[in-house]
Amino acid sequence: MTPGPTTADRAHASPQHASPQHASPQHASPQQASPQHASPQQASPQQTPAQLALPRHALSHLDALESEAVHIFREVAGEFERPVILFSGGKDSIVMLHLALKAFAPAPVPFSLLHVDTGHNFPEVLEYRDHVVAAHGLRLHVASVQEYIDRGVLRERPDGTRNPLQTVPLTEKIQSERFDAVFGGGRRDEEKARAKERVFSLRDEFSQWDPRRQRPELWNLYNGRHAAGEHVRVFPLSNWTELDVWQYIAREGIELPEIYFAHEREVFQRAGMWLTAGEWGGPKESESVETRLVRYRTVGDMSCTGAVDSDAVTLDQVIAEIAASRLTERGATRADDKMSEAAMEDRKREGYF
């Protein structure tokens, strides 16, 4: 996961290093200055006007997405005092951390990480989280849902899921640590409430989200102004899709937890999803456990994250599988988003991501 220079860094090389011939038009040769001497490659009759208008070194769509995300990270570093990256060990937060490493290499990332631990996380994901933190010398803050339950602040839900219980530990951790910018891996293609989100999303002093307070972001200009007690949620992957994320992972050679690839696991079916058996309350007496070949498209609390039947064991196979899918990963595998039509938006208004 050691990053190299970004495409943006290479493409926007400092102009003072250009040769005199390129820097000063008056020194151009007659052939360079006169259009009638242009080579066939420069004015090929087969090229359309749109093709001729493209810069010679046009970025690929992954390069453009990477460049935008790197710009967002650097913008936050310049505007805010205490940013933090939400890191769950899922693919989106892993890509987000990789981009942050690239944005500031060879210097260390100037942000710490924050994980909301529900107590029902997948062991493989927690192991990966600790490995990444140690490998890059990062500081990790953990907000524990179990601690709030033990103190009587929160109560277990009848269905056993703890994902909706993350809001209070998250918001109180943000307030106690005085974080003024919080990076999240949310993408607009995931869910309709997230499609409304700006890249810089203002939250009030109670960490609540009001869609009417969203600010325009014309020409990639981001407004980070906020009053005392408020903070800004920042989404560098807003314009990415699930397929973009996987293609970028393949291109960059980013390591992932094993549960993202097909493996045999004991699961049971509930509400049309294959859930992992565990101490969180599943399965019930009427639900039978079976061993199936599955993988996970998204990673959250074990009680609400479903696996999908899959034999994809390589990145290329996963990419082909996603390209053929017509359901988003949250729509297909997240029980917490199916509680109501506005489940995600309701939680966002309360302070959830």
Side-chain angles (χ1 to χ4, degrees), residues 4-14 66-67 70 74 102-105:
T6 69
T7 305
D9 292 332
R10 293 191 295 268
H12 298 89
S14 180
E66 178 191 76
S67 180
V70 165
R74 291 172 178 170
K102 271 198 160 187
F104 302 102

Side-chain angles (χ1 to χ4, degrees), residues 35-104:
Q36 61 264 32
H37 293 289
S39 68
Q41 288 183 341
Q42 291 175 317
S44 172
Q46 285 79 24
Q47 288 181 303
T48 65
Q51 289 172 324
L52 290 171
L54 285 174
R56 182 173 297 178
H57 301 293
L59 301 179
S60 71
H61 82 285
L62 288 181
D63 291 333
L65 290 171
E66 178 191 76
S67 180
E68 178 188 53
V70 165
H71 167 66
I72 291 167
F73 274 109
R74 291 172 178 170
E75 188 76 11
V76 170
E79 285 193 43
F80 296 87
E81 294 182 4
R82 289 182 60 80
V84 69
I85 300 175
L86 270 184
F87 188 79
S88 65
K91 67 182 187 305
D92 296 316
S93 62
I94 291 170
V95 167
M96 195 165 55
L97 177 59
H98 181 84
L99 289 164
L101 290 165
K102 271 198 160 187
F104 302 102

Side-chain angles (χ1 to χ4, degrees), residues 5-32:
T6 69
T7 305
D9 292 332
R10 293 191 295 268
H12 298 89
S14 180
Q16 62 264 31
H17 296 293
S19 65
Q21 287 185 338
H22 290 89
S24 180
Q26 61 267 31
H27 294 293
S29 67
Q31 286 187 341
Q32 290 173 321

